[in-house]
Amino acid sequence: MARPRILVVGAGFAGVECVRRLERRLAPGEADITVVTPNSYQLYLPLLPQVASGVLTPQSVAVSLRRSERHRTRILPGTAVGVDPEAKVCVVRTITGDLTDQPYDHLVLAPGSVTRSFDIPGLAEHARGMKTLAEAAYLRDHVIAQLDLADACGDPAEQDGRLRFVVVGGGYAGTETAACLQRLTTHAVQRYTRLEERQISWHLVDLAPRLMPELGDALGRAALDVLRRRGIEVSLGVSVAKAGATEVTLTDGRVLPTRTLIWTAGVAASPLVATLGTPTERGRLVVTPEMVVPGAPGVFALGDAAAVPDLAQGAEGAVCPPTAQHASRQGRTVADNVIAALRGQPLRPYRHRDLGLVVDLGGADAVSKPLGVPLRGLPAQAVARGYHWGALRTGVAKTRVLTNWLLNAVAGDDFVRTGFQERRPATLREFEQTDAYLTPEEIRARTGHSPGRAVSRG
């Protein structure tokens, strides 16, 4: 008798925790496990701003999926681009560009999210994101390149554009990115004899009226004070109206000459969720408290891709925020529920109380709210870095990150460009590839399945 096939889509916090628990709790002959991911590592996303600023090396936050002693999961290098729930087939585009059909008995959807963008003229062509390791590495090169080019340039207008940096998004990603990269340029400019620190200009723009409202008024203001004390201009209630190669037009009418637009204005669920044809809530798959997708037999969804009911809040209609701590714990719960489904046991609902929030602003600056206790400055920084360090999955990753932190504290930054993708624009359009997904009609054409027609396992 063929073993049940468990297919896990995504190797972020949710997917990896699910796979690790399945490997620990399933006997080797009890099921076949496959994970679909374009890269054979788990990216520790909260530390990407420190990669972009050079505090951490890219390898420090890319945790190999093959280091587990119990590793027996088949890794399929690619991206899931469509699901036919009735045929129980997931369509995968491999890293070579080929399409392959992966049948499953139980499907765990943890494809994560993509950068949320809007129909703003020029945005896809000229904005840069901070969602992948490649984007963070490229962004560091790009920022240092602007200093190099400005130093070699004799045109004051061009210098002004190259030394002005615009970050859109006042959430955690945008705030930390602006704070960390501003520190990088402030330290770097001391090595450029033709440039002065006063020439460098950083702008943080967000449509919301407050910075990081999840932190509360007091800590939000504290973070705002840190940014402004460093010289970062923060504009709230404002967004981008138009983006070009050499300037950005804001919705308040201002035109900012710049060669650097960093877009971190939130996330949206992976386009994969739209291929299932099941109900969504604010773009995320509707699921039960057990994270089962209604109307899709054998399919579970979690993390950024699912609107998981937040039972710990107790409020009707509350859903869990798309944070790493929820994704990790949901991954373990889904693994238990997949095992329960295999063994004919009852499923259990997901329930977890939020542990708090941490925001690392670089150096000695941070704001944190562990277990609801507001902290700022060095105590907050200790909590933020302690939390991130403890959340890293392997001893190798922890050693690399701690070593990088210590080396940066002792030796300071270095400002070397690697030449990564030097001649290719690392824009949202280049990296997000949101047009790679199939339509439901294209999926059914591949699987040869029509709605209502039964398909045998074969």
Side-chain angles (χ1 to χ4, degrees):
M1 182 178 176
R3 289 193 294 264
R5 298 161 297 192
I6 302 172
L7 185 64
V8 179
V9 173
F13 291 99
V16 167
E17 287 299 324
C18 178
V19 168
R20 291 181 71 210
R21 200 169 186 96
L22 289 172
E23 288 180 333
R24 285 196 300 269
R25 298 198 170 184
L26 284 174
E30 200 170 353
D32 291 329
I33 309 169
T34 299
V35 62
V36 178
T37 174
N39 305 299
S40 59
Y41 61 77
Q42 177 193 6
L43 176 62
Y44 193 82
L45 197 62
L47 291 178
L48 268 191
Q50 295 190 38
V51 173
S53 63
V55 174
L56 298 176
T57 62
Q59 292 86 350
S60 303
V61 300
V63 184
S64 172
L65 299 182
R66 302 184 187 274
R67 279 194 172 271
S68 169
E69 293 180 359
R70 296 182 178 87
H71 173 70
R72 65 174 187 272
T73 297
R74 171 183 171 234
I75 299 175
L76 179 56
T79 301
V81 295
V83 176
D84 186 338
E86 295 186 48
K88 286 199 166 185
V89 170
C90 179
V91 183
V92 176
R93 191 184 303 277
T94 68
I95 57 174
T96 61
D98 299 322
L99 290 177
T100 178
D101 298 339
Q102 294 296 310
Y104 63 83
D105 296 295
H106 297 278
L107 175 64
V108 177
L109 292 177
S113 57
V114 296
T115 301
R116 182 180 62 185
S117 59
F118 302 94
D119 191 19
I120 298 172
L123 182 67
E125 295 81 9
H126 302 293
R128 292 166 172 84
M130 264 289 287
K131 199 79 175 66
T132 68
L133 192 59
E135 284 176 309
Y138 175 86
L139 191 57
R140 171 176 166 78
D141 267 18
H142 171 81
V143 169
I144 296 173
Q146 300 315 300
L147 299 180
D148 289 345
L149 291 166
D151 183 65
C153 170
D155 181 2
E158 182 180 340
Q159 273 192 336
D160 182 42
R162 294 197 181 279
L163 297 178
R164 179 176 283 108
F165 306 89
V166 180
V167 181
V168 182
Y172 306 113
T175 302
E176 290 185 331
T177 296
C180 290
L181 285 174
Q182 185 270 341
R183 289 188 83 248
L184 170 69
T185 55
T186 298
H187 294 162
V189 77
Q190 299 171 18
R191 310 292 179 90
Y192 290 82
T193 57
R194 297 177 181 83
L195 300 180
E196 297 180 20
E197 184 179 334
R198 62 177 179 80
Q199 293 177 273
I200 298 177
S201 174
W202 279 88
H203 297 256
L204 178 61
V205 176
D206 193 77
L207 195 56
R210 291 186 298 162
L211 200 65
M212 295 182 293
E214 299 89 345
L215 286 172
D217 288 342
L219 287 183
R221 285 196 300 271
L224 184 61
D225 289 343
V226 168
L227 299 182
R228 286 179 170 163
R229 186 177 71 243
R230 291 190 190 171
I232 299 174
E233 183 177 338
V234 180
S235 300
L236 300 175
V238 177
S239 188
V240 172
K242 184 173 62 175
T246 59
E247 65 181 26
V248 169
T249 304
L250 303 182
T251 52
D252 62 5
R254 281 182 292 165
V255 178
L256 303 178
T258 182
R259 306 294 178 99
T260 308
L261 173 61
I262 305 170
W263 184 268
T264 63
V267 297
S270 166
L272 179 66
V273 306
T275 70
L276 274 77
T278 60
T280 59
E281 179 180 337
R282 296 184 181 179
R284 299 162 73 184
L285 286 169
V286 171
V287 297
T288 68
E290 295 77 20
M291 289 169 284
V292 171
V293 179
V299 179
F300 297 82
L302 65 162
D304 293 4
V308 179
D310 192 348
L311 302 182
Q313 269 199 33
E316 186 176 351
V319 298
C320 296
T323 61
Q325 61 176 289
H326 277 294
S328 297
R329 289 163 176 81
Q330 287 168 9
R332 295 193 282 271
T333 301
V334 162
D336 290 342
N337 285 343
V338 170
I339 295 170
L342 285 172
R343 298 172 179 173
Q345 299 169 349
L347 311 186
R348 68 183 178 92
Y350 171 75
R351 184 188 298 270
H352 167 66
R353 188 168 298 279
D354 204 302
L355 298 178
L357 304 163
V358 295
V359 181
D360 188 336
L361 300 174
D365 293 318
V367 290
S368 301
K369 201 174 184 180
L371 302 174
V373 179
L375 300 173
R376 63 189 71 185
L378 279 174
Q381 183 64 284
V383 168
R385 296 209 168 180
Y387 174 82
H388 290 316
W389 186 82
L392 290 165
R393 192 166 50 83
T394 67
V396 171
K398 290 180 179 181
T399 302
R400 282 177 175 158
V401 166
L402 186 59
T403 302
N404 284 176
W405 280 339
L406 291 173
L407 183 61
N408 182 261
V410 172
D413 301 306
D414 73 65
F415 316 108
V416 176
R417 281 188 294 122
T418 63
F420 180 79
Q421 284 207 344
E422 199 166 51
R423 297 184 179 277
R424 296 183 65 189
T427 60
L428 290 176
R429 173 168 290 176
E430 176 77 17
F431 276 113
E432 296 287 345
Q433 298 181 8
T434 52
D435 57 351
Y437 294 83
L438 304 181
T439 65
E441 292 75 22
E442 290 172 325
I443 297 166
R444 293 194 186 101
R446 283 191 60 81
T447 61
H449 179 256
S450 300
R453 174 180 148 207
V455 173
S456 64
R457 177 172 165 178

